[in-house]
Amino acid sequence: MHAEVDALVIGAGVSGLSTAICLQEAGLRVLVRATQPPERSTSMMASAMIGPSFAAPGDPALGWHRETVRRLTPDTPGVRVLDGRMAARPAGMVPPGVERFEGYRPCRPEELPEGYGTAFWVRQPVVDMPPYLRHLADRFTAAGGRLVLEPVRSLDEAAEVAPLVANCAGLGAAELTGDRQLKPVRGPKIVVANPGIEHFFIEAPLGPIWAGFIPHGDRVVLGGTHRDSADTTPDEAEAAEIIRRCAVVEPRLADAPVLEHSVGLRPGRPAPRLELEKLGRARIVHNYGHAGTGVMLSWGCAREAADLLVS
Ligand SMILES: Cc1cc2nc3c(=O)[nH]c(=O)nc-3n(C[C@H](O)[C@H](O)[C@H](O)COP(=O)(O)OP(=O)(O)OC[C@H]3O[C@@H](n4cnc5c(N)ncnc54)[C@H](O)[C@@H]3O)c2cc1C
């Protein structure tokens, strides 16, 4: 056991870095160990929408989302607060309680994209992940945290490093815990040069394929698809269909130069695993399996994971 480490965090994606910062805020000396650096994590692939959350009353995701929005102020590197449209194919699909969201107003008929029966405006934070993850890592190390690139081979090994452990290994948690509910969900990311778009657009509910675009300065991130698969090979036909769908909503996207086409694997699970486990004298909190909402839930889950660990 490292005498100078109170807590070990496994993973340096958005869950691991946020949890590490919350543990630091509780006064602990924290070591993060990760197989890959933050810029090689799934978190780097996120678009990243932060809501709104349509979780049912009583669902813990509502509180996790609220805490994330509270922390993502516009002065945070990578974070912008934008107006954008949410749309559904059928008419009359306005989610209950949507009037509560900041900036809400139904779209005028001329703002309704072709093929959609419902659309409304909301104001939401969006996160440009490369600068945001860099900011989290810098904030953690500037406060005295250590980030080491070294895989953790088992939870027993982790428990020997520190008495408190946070398992934020994303898909890597399957191997560490044997959790059979955790499955890779393929998600392509297409980045194009921004032809002048200032508002986001997202189709809901998300089916196997949808149109969504989020401007981040001079780039726009397009999505997306949802397929249970661990295949990360870029598929040109899939990308062309995503661009086509986005261009129906925003014709300027049709010819925007493609800057990046990559594929990430979301840590799919019916619900995130956020619970405490004892292993000998060590306490382990699990914080993984956030599927397509890991950034959106990041601060809320990190806060709760840290509270469970130190309580
Ligand atoms: C295309 C795409 C778009 C997305 N868009 C959004 C969005 O708009 N909004 C949103 O909220 N979410 C979005 N997501 C989902 C989001 O990216 C994930 O939910 C989130 O990144 C999960 O973060 P994480 O930190 O839990 O896992 P990861 O980012 O996967 O990080 C896991 C970390 O654990 C490390 N690790 C794994 N195993 C071990 C081990 N044995 N030892 C040490 N380290 C280990 C890895 O190296 C990595 O550092 C999107 C995902 C994709 C693919």
Side-chain angles (χ1 to χ4, degrees):
M1 193 166 302
H2 292 258
E4 72 279 15
V5 173
D6 301 313
L8 169 70
V9 175
I10 309 172
V14 72
S15 305
L17 293 173
S18 310
T19 303
I21 290 169
C22 288
L23 290 168
Q24 276 182 328
E25 288 172 350
L28 304 187
R29 293 162 300 179
V30 183
L31 168 69
V32 173
R33 262 172 66 179
T35 309
Q36 302 273 13
E39 61 272 21
R40 301 279 303 275
S41 64
T42 294
S43 300
M44 199 68 154
M45 301 290 300
S47 302
M49 289 288 297
I50 301 302
S53 172
F54 296 116
D59 186 326
L62 272 184
W64 296 334
H65 171 247
R66 212 176 300 122
E67 176 65 6
T68 305
V69 171
R70 193 183 69 77
R71 290 227 188 195
L72 289 181
T73 52
D75 57 346
T76 313
V79 176
R80 287 185 187 83
V81 178
L82 295 183
D83 290 322
R85 281 172 299 171
M86 302 197 77
R89 300 276 170 184
M93 257 199 82
V94 181
V98 73
E99 320 74 49
R100 286 195 321 266
F101 292 119
E102 204 189 331
Y104 168 78
R105 75 164 173 83
C107 283
R108 291 187 289 270
E110 68 274 17
E111 294 171 327
L112 201 64
E114 186 191 324
Y116 294 86
T118 312
F120 54 86
W121 289 87
V122 281
R123 187 166 305 138
Q124 289 293 313
V126 298
V127 183
D128 191 8
M129 292 309 287
Y132 180 64
L133 283 181
R134 254 192 316 274
H135 155 73
L136 290 183
D138 289 349
R139 180 173 161 185
F140 170 67
T141 51
R146 280 200 298 137
L147 197 166
V148 174
L149 295 183
E150 185 184 357
V152 172
R153 307 210 179 279
S154 67
L155 293 182
D156 287 326
E157 182 198 329
E160 283 171 19
V161 176
L164 302 176
V165 175
N167 171 18
C168 307
L171 271 177
E175 208 173 312
L176 291 172
T177 65
D179 186 340
R180 296 165 70 102
Q181 294 193 73
L182 187 61
K183 302 244 165 67
V185 178
R186 176 192 160 90
K189 176 182 185 180
I190 296 141
V191 183
V192 301
N194 191 346
I197 294 166
E198 292 173 350
H199 304 294
F200 65 81
F201 175 87
I202 185 83
E203 177 178 342
L206 299 183
I209 184 160
W210 64 86
F213 52 85
I214 301 172
H216 293 298
D218 56 1
R219 293 165 299 119
V220 186
V221 179
L222 315 187
T225 68
H226 181 290
R227 180 148 53 93
D228 288 347
S229 164
D231 183 0
T232 55
T233 316
D235 176 340
E236 291 307 325
E238 183 183 54
E241 178 57 14
I242 290 170
I243 294 171
R244 189 193 68 75
R245 283 172 180 248
C246 290
V248 169
V249 180
E250 173 47 80
R252 287 177 292 176
L253 288 171
D255 300 317
V258 175
L259 306 176
E260 180 191 330
H261 175 198
S262 47
V263 178
L265 298 178
R266 306 176 185 95
R269 202 174 185 275
R273 183 175 180 203
L274 191 42
E275 65 179 337
L276 193 68
E277 183 185 9
K278 288 208 170 129
L279 191 67
R281 287 172 36 221
R283 288 154 69 83
I284 297 182
V285 73
H286 298 283
N287 180 14
Y288 65 82
H290 306 85
T293 56
V295 187
M296 170 168 152
L297 304 180
S298 55
W299 280 117
C301 289
R303 174 79 276 147
E304 192 168 320
D307 287 351
L308 284 170
L309 210 49
V310 297
S311 62

